[in-house]
Amino acid sequence: QNGVMSGLMQMLLLKVSAHITEQLGMAPGGEFREAFKEASKVPFCKFHLGDRPIPVTFKRAIAALSFWQKVKLAWGLCFLSDPISKDDVEKCKQKDLLEQMMAEMIGEFPDLHRTIVSERDIYLTYMLKQAAKQIELPRASENEPRKYIPAVVVGVVGMGHVPGIEKNWNSDLKIQEIMSVPPPSASSRIFKFVLKATILGLLGYGCYRVGHRTVQYVLSIPATQTYIQRLSEIPQQ
């Protein structure tokens, strides 16, 4: 529904998630499930999913990568087999190690970091600021002065987004630009056409081979040969 490349990318990321779950015995995203569980216990609490929609992030990320970067990234995700321990997770909670990992990611895939991390930092900050706006109390009449109370907001985000949120908090944010999906490049359109043509060609060739072998098998059956011989002996009118 969201495109071939976006679907393949999501399948690869699900593979990574399954790998982490198998290694640690727990699925990623447990903090968000826990937040939802705790929010349901608070009277009048509104639970809001404040991250940018996944299809938009995937499409923008894929559009930002060159063809060879896509191949390199897909290869790395396909053959991800590095062991992960709970000690490794605890080490990732250290800010300096986290920043080091982010720096390595920026160096290898700078455009991917921009779309998956930096842009979502902006989006998450914007949504948190919207949620943190003061709440206006109801007034008995229009002449009564307006009264506000501060909103109480608990934001649950990944550690990698905390520095970006702090950095963008006092900025005037606009999210229209990072919500648009750029049109596919010429190389991407050519690749999709070649991929579809290859798949259809292989499918057609497979059908031809199967059909050809089936016809040969049917003609080799004695009963079929006898029937064809009788047809040939019928005098033409």
Side-chain angles (χ1 to χ4, degrees):
Q1 292 178 351
N2 297 316
V4 175
M5 293 301 298
S6 180
L8 290 174
M9 183 67 71
Q10 190 160 354
M11 287 175 62
L12 289 174
L13 291 178
L14 286 174
K15 179 181 180 297
V16 174
S17 176
H19 172 69
I20 296 173
T21 304
E22 182 182 3
Q23 293 286 317
L24 299 177
M26 57 183 179
E31 67 271 32
F32 305 120
R33 289 186 286 273
E34 192 65 25
F36 178 76
K37 188 190 303 182
E38 292 299 320
S40 63
K41 301 176 184 177
V42 181
F44 309 107
C45 177
K46 294 181 179 179
F47 184 84
H48 181 65
L49 299 174
D51 203 350
R52 184 170 64 176
I54 291 178
V56 176
T57 299
F58 276 172
K59 288 181 179 180
R60 286 186 63 84
I62 292 169
L65 295 176
S66 66
F67 173 76
W68 293 115
Q69 284 179 322
K70 293 174 186 175
V71 173
K72 184 178 179 180
L73 178 64
W75 181 269
L77 293 176
C78 280
F79 295 96
L80 179 71
S81 58
D82 296 337
I84 304 171
S85 66
K86 293 185 178 181
D87 291 337
D88 294 330
V89 176
E90 292 301 320
K91 290 179 182 177
C92 287
K93 293 179 181 179
Q94 301 174 17
K95 192 173 182 181
D96 54 350
L97 179 62
L98 189 65
E99 289 176 352
Q100 180 183 345
M101 294 173 60
M102 299 297 283
E104 292 175 358
M105 182 179 176
I106 292 171
E108 194 167 1
F109 298 103
D111 293 325
L112 192 66
H113 178 273
R114 173 177 55 81
T115 53
I116 292 184
V117 180
S118 300
E119 289 183 0
R120 287 173 59 224
D121 287 345
I122 295 173
Y123 190 90
L124 289 166
T125 308
Y126 179 85
M127 298 306 290
L128 280 170
K129 291 180 72 173
Q130 292 297 311
K133 286 184 176 179
Q134 290 185 329
I135 302 171
E136 182 179 355
L137 295 175
R139 295 183 295 168
S141 64
E142 294 184 358
N143 298 326
E144 186 179 345
R146 297 177 183 271
K147 295 182 180 179
Y148 299 89
I149 58 172
V152 178
V153 180
V154 178
V156 180
V157 299
M159 280 190 66
H161 292 291
V162 174
I165 292 174
E166 292 176 348
K167 175 184 174 183
N168 292 305
W169 188 259
N170 294 320
S171 303
D172 183 18
L173 303 175
K174 296 179 181 179
I175 62 171
Q176 289 79 8
E177 182 179 348
I178 62 173
M179 289 300 293
S180 62
V181 179
S185 61
S187 60
S188 177
R189 291 196 297 269
I190 293 172
F191 174 74
K192 287 182 180 180
F193 175 78
V194 171
L195 181 63
K196 289 180 180 179
T198 302
I199 293 174
L200 291 175
L202 291 173
L203 183 62
Y205 180 73
C207 291
Y208 165 76
R209 293 291 297 176
V210 171
H212 183 67
R213 290 183 179 180
T214 302
V215 171
Q216 286 183 331
Y217 173 75
V218 172
L219 292 177
S220 66
I221 298 175
T224 305
Q225 295 178 350
T226 303
Y227 181 73
I228 294 175
Q229 184 177 1
R230 289 180 179 179
L231 287 177
S232 63
E233 292 175 355
I234 296 177
Q236 296 182 355
Q237 298 295 332

